[in-house]
Amino acid sequence: MTAQKTNKEGRIGAQNRARILAAAEQEFALHGYNGTRLQNVADRAQLPKTNILYYFKSKEGLYLAVLEQILTLWNSAFDVATVDDDPALVLANYVAEKMEISRTKPEASKIYALEIINGAPNLSKFYKEQHVDWMDGRVALLQAWIDQGKLSVKDPYYLLFNIWACSQHYADFQAQIAALRGKGMDKQDFSDATKALIHMILSGCGLSVPDKFK
Amino acid sequence: MTAQKTNKEGRIGAQNRARILAAAEQEFALHGYNGTRLQNVADRAQLPKTNILYYFKSKEGLYLAVLEQILTLWNSAFDVATVDDDPALVLANYVAEKMEISRTKPEASKIYALEIINGAPNLSKFYKEQHVDWMDGRVALLQAWIDQGKLSVKDPYYLLFNIWACSQHYADFQAQIAALRGKGMDKQDFSDATKALIHMILSGCGLSVPDKFK
DNA sequence: ATATAAGTTGACCATCTGGTCTAGTTTTTG
DNA sequence: CAAAAACTAGACCAGATGGTCAACTTATAT
């Protein structure tokens, strides 16, 4: 071997990639995959369109990169909770985390929603299997709490679905929410909505709300 | 004036319109507005593409017709509930209605969700105003129940948002739900999910579940 | 310093797709 | 039975858009 391969990506490259990814996230969230124009992504990133194709092989490649970045957001303390933890605290924290993502990263939530609504054609088999494994583990944990009499729900699946549904709704449907309320949700509104949601979820499980979330 | 204008639409026309609308609903739900090809709608409706443009002036016209049809689904007994009605019964019925729509008309829910996620660019000003009026009225009703001590929630808005979020989730995210459960939701599963949701919603409001929904 | 890799850029193309045009056929109506 | 309206349908086009190409400039490493 002769000269060692350089890092294959200079500082400029890393910076531009990030710029493009951020711009693409906005555009995909706003217009969906098919509605997004590479030219618009380029304009938003203030780079010529050709550069996007230089860094990402194709529109699909760009989308997959955005999607991959989004999936890392889903990580949570709930992932590693055990049967010895307090269900009320764990669930309340999980809801609060989810709501915080909806507040700070609504674009990510929207892109994910669009992907699922369209039948998840671009989520890798690997991710799907991993997600099923995660779900199995969390359902088992919830079931253990149920068996211990710490949690009162019939089916753990529906509990998780409802948590996701409500928390993501505040990101995905923000246009409707703002229209119906007459104003957008500010930080305080999110705090109130989070408390309301935690109250509802925990009440439904026969748990009382920890002071921290009252 | 000479001959009176005929009905402007024969029997064939009405039938074809319905066929096209049904096909378009499927396609729009599956691929979104931009991802939908008129040719695919035509194939699904088993009609030549040109016919679609004949009955609906343009792709946008077709989409608007589909959307309009969908909005009529949203009508509910809750719309006309009064302060003298029983909150538990009214809310439980409302949730059950919403879940039934998710079960029987998931495409409609998906198209609506796609529309809102993208900022509701095609919902008419008229519809939006009407929706705000509806919301104001329903919020007032909920507030009246709260004032009477029949209902225990801090903010009626979040209650309604959470009801919509959960019920629509079972339609919009059916791909994810089926993947995580290992099988799709059948009628019995929907019945269970509906009971779980009603239990959660009513618990969160300090209401007990009517026998009918247990 | 200079060679090599990384990054930039405008010109250009192939294809796809919504929509038009025209010419015809069927249905309805008086 | 005509005449008019409703409906069918293939051929075709204009514009948009993802993507390629080749030439160029800048950065990096020895």
Side-chain angles (χ1 to χ4, degrees):
Chain A
M1 298 294 160
T2 55
Q4 75 170 89
K5 268 284 163 61
T6 58
N7 224 351
K8 175 130 189 167
E9 175 147 304
R11 292 85 197 260
I12 299 175
Q15 203 173 12
N16 282 350
R17 271 177 183 270
R19 282 254 295 281
I20 294 169
L21 280 175
E25 189 173 298
Q26 301 277 334
E27 290 294 322
F28 282 132
L30 214 46
H31 305 113
Y33 179 82
N34 286 291
T36 291
R37 305 291 157 235
L38 287 183
Q39 187 59 59
N40 291 349
V41 176
D43 292 347
R44 192 183 282 270
Q46 289 181 293
L47 286 171
K49 190 185 78 173
T50 330
N51 280 33
I52 296 179
L53 279 314
Y54 172 73
Y55 287 105
F56 304 88
K57 292 298 179 198
S58 63
K59 184 182 184 182
E60 192 185 344
L62 173 61
Y63 178 73
L64 290 177
V66 170
L67 203 55
E68 190 178 14
Q69 189 181 243
I70 287 174
L71 294 182
T72 67
L73 277 179
W74 271 219
N75 297 328
S76 157
F78 180 48
D79 304 350
V80 294
T82 72
V83 70
D84 297 323
D85 291 316
D86 173 26
L89 221 67
V90 168
L91 289 176
N93 262 316
Y94 187 50
V95 170
E97 280 177 5
K98 288 281 166 198
M99 286 294 281
E100 189 64 6
I101 291 174
S102 282
R103 186 177 74 83
T104 58
K105 290 275 191 180
E107 304 85 7
S109 184
K110 285 180 186 177
I111 291 172
Y112 188 76
L114 292 172
E115 176 68 20
I116 302 293
I117 291 175
N118 287 350
N122 294 292
L123 286 180
S124 68
K125 199 180 167 191
F126 173 74
Y127 169 75
K128 288 178 184 168
E129 288 170 356
Q130 184 185 288
H131 200 190
V132 169
D133 291 344
W134 179 94
M135 189 74 175
D136 290 346
R138 295 308 90 191
V139 166
L141 170 63
L142 293 170
Q143 189 59 51
W145 280 333
I146 294 168
D147 294 340
Q148 290 184 357
K150 290 182 179 173
L151 194 65
S152 167
V153 286
K154 282 248 180 64
D155 189 324
Y157 282 95
Y158 301 136
L159 172 60
L160 289 179
F161 294 154
N162 290 339
I163 290 175
W164 297 340
C166 291
S167 57
Q168 290 169 15
H169 186 82
Y170 288 89
D172 303 341
F173 282 66
Q174 68 180 159
Q176 182 176 75
I177 289 172
L180 292 178
R181 295 173 78 243
K183 65 185 175 80
M185 299 272 291
D186 63 23
K187 203 171 173 179
Q188 181 62 51
D189 294 327
F190 260 97
S191 173
D192 294 342
T194 300
K195 283 174 188 164
L197 179 53
I198 288 174
H199 174 80
M200 182 180 79
I201 296 284
L202 295 191
S203 297
C205 299
L207 298 170
S208 50
V209 179
D211 287 337
K212 184 182 166 190
F213 297 101
K214 270 182 181 161
Chain B
M1 299 294 159
T2 54
Q4 74 171 86
K5 268 284 166 56
T6 58
N7 223 354
K8 177 134 191 163
E9 173 147 306
R11 292 85 197 262
I12 299 174
Q15 202 173 14
N16 282 351
R17 271 179 182 269
R19 281 253 296 279
I20 294 168
L21 280 176
E25 188 173 297
Q26 301 278 333
E27 290 294 321
F28 282 132
L30 214 45
H31 305 111
Y33 179 81
N34 287 291
T36 292
R37 305 290 158 237
L38 288 183
Q39 188 59 59
N40 292 349
V41 176
D43 292 346
R44 192 184 281 270
Q46 290 181 291
L47 286 171
K49 191 186 77 173
T50 330
N51 280 35
I52 296 179
L53 278 313
Y54 172 74
Y55 287 106
F56 305 89
K57 292 296 178 199
S58 63
K59 184 183 182 180
E60 192 184 345
L62 173 60
Y63 178 73
L64 291 177
V66 170
L67 204 55
E68 189 178 16
Q69 189 181 243
I70 287 174
L71 295 181
T72 66
L73 278 179
W74 272 219
N75 296 330
S76 157
F78 180 48
D79 303 351
V80 294
T82 73
V83 70
D84 299 321
D85 292 315
D86 173 24
L89 223 73
V90 168
L91 289 176
N93 261 316
Y94 187 50
V95 170
E97 279 178 5
K98 288 281 167 197
M99 286 293 282
E100 189 63 7
I101 291 175
S102 282
R103 187 177 73 83
T104 57
K105 290 272 191 182
E107 303 84 8
S109 183
K110 285 180 186 179
I111 291 172
Y112 188 76
L114 292 171
E115 178 67 20
I116 302 294
I117 291 176
N118 288 349
N122 293 292
L123 286 180
S124 68
K125 198 179 168 189
F126 172 74
Y127 169 74
K128 287 177 184 168
E129 288 170 356
Q130 184 183 286
H131 200 190
V132 169
D133 291 344
W134 179 92
M135 188 74 175
D136 290 346
R138 295 308 89 192
V139 166
L141 170 62
L142 293 169
Q143 189 60 52
W145 280 332
I146 293 169
D147 294 341
Q148 291 184 356
K150 290 182 181 172
L151 193 64
S152 167
V153 285
K154 284 247 179 68
D155 189 324
Y157 283 96
Y158 302 136
L159 172 59
L160 289 179
F161 294 154
N162 290 339
I163 290 175
W164 297 339
C166 291
S167 57
Q168 289 170 18
H169 185 83
Y170 288 90
D172 303 341
F173 282 64
Q174 69 181 161
Q176 182 176 75
I177 289 173
L180 292 179
R181 295 175 79 243
K183 66 185 176 78
M185 299 272 291
D186 62 24
K187 202 170 175 182
Q188 181 60 51
D189 294 327
F190 260 97
S191 173
D192 294 341
T194 300
K195 284 176 187 163
L197 179 54
I198 289 174
H199 174 80
M200 183 180 78
I201 296 285
L202 295 191
S203 297
C205 299
L207 298 170
S208 51
V209 179
D211 287 336
K212 183 181 166 191
F213 297 102
K214 271 183 180 163

